[in-house]
Amino acid sequence: MGNQDARLLGADFVRASACLIVLFHHLAQRIDFRTPLGSEPMQVLSNGGGLGVGLFFVLSGFLLSIPFWRALDAGGDLPSLRVYWLRRAARILPCFWLALIVTFILSVALFDVKLDQWLWLRLVAGFALVSDWHWLTLFPVEVNSPLWSIGFEASSYFFLPLGFAVLVAYGRALPPWGKRLAWFGVIGAALLAHMTFYNLVTVDPINRGWEYGLQGGAKVWMPWFNPFSFFAMFALGALAGGLQTLLAGKRNWAADMVFLAAMIGAGIFMYLTARFEGGELYGLLQVPYRFPIMHAMVALALALGPSTLLAGRLLDNPLVGYVARVSFGIYVWHYLLIELVRRFWLPDMALGTMTDATAFWSASAAVVLASLVVATASYRWLEAPVVGWARMLEPERPAKVTIRPA
């Protein structure tokens, strides 16, 4: 079996797409849309780039659920939680913690951010991966706003094994399809917890709004941006993981057709949504990013990608694979790089101010290139070595890896 056959086809494309959507979203936000530079595609990116974050959560749920589904179907014990947490910590903490430290230092030294007890509190909450539970800490640092989502991701890591533990306790005797249907109960529980959260949690209304900075923006997002709403996206991806394990080894052209239809449908939905709307794009029960329509289409594509004969291979090409491989570094560093370009090269590159097309595209190219360079260095000298070291700490290492997601 070739390397391409051993991969979860389609996962690289979704990861790379999500990463680039977020990157170009933050670049497009710098444009003054009253000028010719603010074309329709740029407006779409500016309005809907947050949808890329939703893609990340569906993809993560899909990838991380597969070992749990396999163990559940085999009737054995669930995967080792020690190994699960060790792998998750090794994959995200070194790069994330370094980005937190560097951003914190630069925000005070170069961007005149006030160093007070609240800034320290936010940093500590970010390090502890609990920044997602309160509006005060939702953005763990200034200047590098995308780091907000890592806390939500970590909470989803915690909820996933709990969902499977419940399924083992009450649904072990169910047939394979019955277990997948029972997983809708986990999604429903996440939505119920989300509703409870936004009905009980009160957000300080003083200085509420993005005009008051990240803290004011956090008050706009919460209480609808909460750990449970993002776990609902994550859990939908986990359902796709369950479907994929049932379809594993089955490949045909029908999968290609449905896979492409789901991918194209998700793209069209995202484009039309962002063309006519902006803001947080709340969906069912005020879950962000028009949940669950886009998420369901992407989940369906992920479930069918490994069963395709051609489409998955075409999309998961070497270039896409490279971007997917370094995507985490791109995500955590690109916004800080944009701010450094504004600070030292192009002061006009503030939010909603750029009118010069040449300056914008030159600066954007520099940011994209710098993001790729920094992310590549991060993957090669920090992320991959730590992951390799963590694998050696596992109690039992598999003799052969049969699934190697991006």
Side-chain angles (χ1 to χ4, degrees):
M1 183 178 288
N3 289 337
Q4 192 75 309
D5 291 325
R7 299 181 69 83
L8 292 170
L9 296 174
D12 275 353
F13 182 78
V14 172
R15 187 186 297 278
S17 298
C19 171
L20 295 178
I21 287 170
V22 173
L23 169 58
F24 289 112
H25 162 63
H26 288 134
L27 288 170
Q29 286 182 328
R30 308 289 161 150
I31 294 173
D32 183 344
F33 288 101
R34 297 169 298 181
T35 67
L37 183 58
S39 62
E40 182 178 297
M42 292 294 103
Q43 293 180 35
V44 167
L45 282 171
S46 179
N47 289 341
L51 294 167
V53 177
L55 297 182
F56 275 124
F57 277 81
V58 175
L59 177 64
S60 291
F62 169 74
L63 295 175
L64 297 182
S65 69
I66 288 176
F68 288 91
W69 285 115
R70 288 180 172 167
L72 189 63
D73 290 341
D77 295 331
L78 292 180
S80 165
L81 289 182
R82 176 177 176 237
V83 172
Y84 173 78
W85 285 114
L86 181 64
R87 291 184 179 185
R88 289 299 85 216
R91 184 64 191 93
I92 70 167
L93 290 184
C95 187
F96 174 56
W97 279 351
L98 179 61
L100 277 178
I101 293 171
V102 172
T103 302
F104 182 84
I105 293 172
L106 293 182
S107 67
V108 175
L110 299 179
F111 295 93
D112 301 322
V113 173
K114 181 182 178 182
L115 182 60
D116 56 20
Q117 69 271 26
W118 302 115
L119 195 65
W120 282 109
L121 175 64
R122 291 161 61 185
L123 179 67
V124 170
F127 261 90
L129 301 175
V130 294
S131 58
D132 53 320
W133 289 92
H134 196 278
W135 62 264
L136 185 62
T137 58
L138 191 146
F139 291 99
V141 287
E142 293 287 331
V143 183
N144 198 348
S145 58
L147 299 185
W148 68 267
S149 70
I150 307 302
F152 289 86
E153 183 94 0
S155 290
S156 292
Y157 296 162
F158 175 77
F159 294 141
L160 182 70
L162 288 180
F164 277 102
V166 172
L167 202 55
V168 166
Y170 297 101
R172 186 186 287 274
L174 293 172
W177 280 104
K179 293 170 184 174
R180 274 68 179 175
L181 291 175
W183 189 257
F184 280 101
V186 175
I187 299 174
L191 293 175
L192 180 61
H194 162 67
M195 293 172 61
T196 304
F197 188 96
Y198 75 65
N199 279 306
L200 294 181
V201 172
T202 302
V203 176
D204 181 6
I206 299 175
N207 293 336
R208 182 177 184 270
W210 291 104
E211 64 272 23
Y212 297 104
L214 294 183
Q215 293 299 86
K219 296 178 183 181
V220 173
W221 279 2
M222 275 208 166
W224 299 282
F225 277 58
N226 62 66
F228 306 108
S229 62
F230 281 85
F231 179 63
M233 308 177 201
F234 195 94
L236 193 52
L239 179 61
L243 295 177
Q244 194 282 321
T245 55
L246 288 181
L247 298 173
K250 300 179 177 68
R251 300 174 61 192
N252 54 65
W253 289 109
D256 287 70
M257 295 175 62
V258 179
F259 170 80
L260 288 174
M263 282 290 195
I264 294 171
I268 292 173
F269 178 82
M270 293 170 67
Y271 188 92
L272 293 178
T273 299
R275 179 182 178 186
F276 297 108
E277 299 179 59
E280 285 66 44
L281 304 174
Y282 294 116
L284 176 68
L285 301 177
Q286 295 294 94
V287 175
Y289 310 136
R290 279 289 176 260
F291 179 85
I293 299 175
M294 175 201 72
H295 309 76
M297 287 190 282
V298 172
L300 178 61
L302 288 169
L304 292 174
S307 297
T308 60
L309 293 171
L310 180 61
R313 287 172 171 73
L314 291 178
L315 293 183
D316 281 10
N317 56 69
L319 179 60
V320 167
Y322 162 68
V323 175
R325 191 160 52 250
V326 303
S327 61
F328 189 64
I330 294 174
Y331 185 81
V332 301
W333 292 110
H334 76 274
Y335 202 90
L336 178 61
L337 292 171
I338 293 174
E339 288 298 304
L340 288 172
V341 166
R342 179 181 67 83
R343 174 69 173 79
F344 290 106
W345 174 20
L346 200 59
D348 291 339
M349 202 174 187
L351 292 171
T353 60
M354 293 207 70
T355 60
D356 187 325
T358 300
F360 172 76
W361 290 114
S362 298
S364 296
V367 168
V368 171
L369 179 61
S371 297
L372 289 171
V373 170
V374 172
T376 300
S378 173
Y379 182 82
R380 180 174 179 180
W381 289 306
L382 177 61
E383 299 165 52
V386 171
V387 169
W389 169 77
R391 287 297 177 97
M392 293 189 294
L393 299 179
E394 295 178 12
E396 294 182 8
R397 299 180 65 192
K400 181 180 179 181
V401 177
T402 56
I403 289 295
R404 188 168 177 263

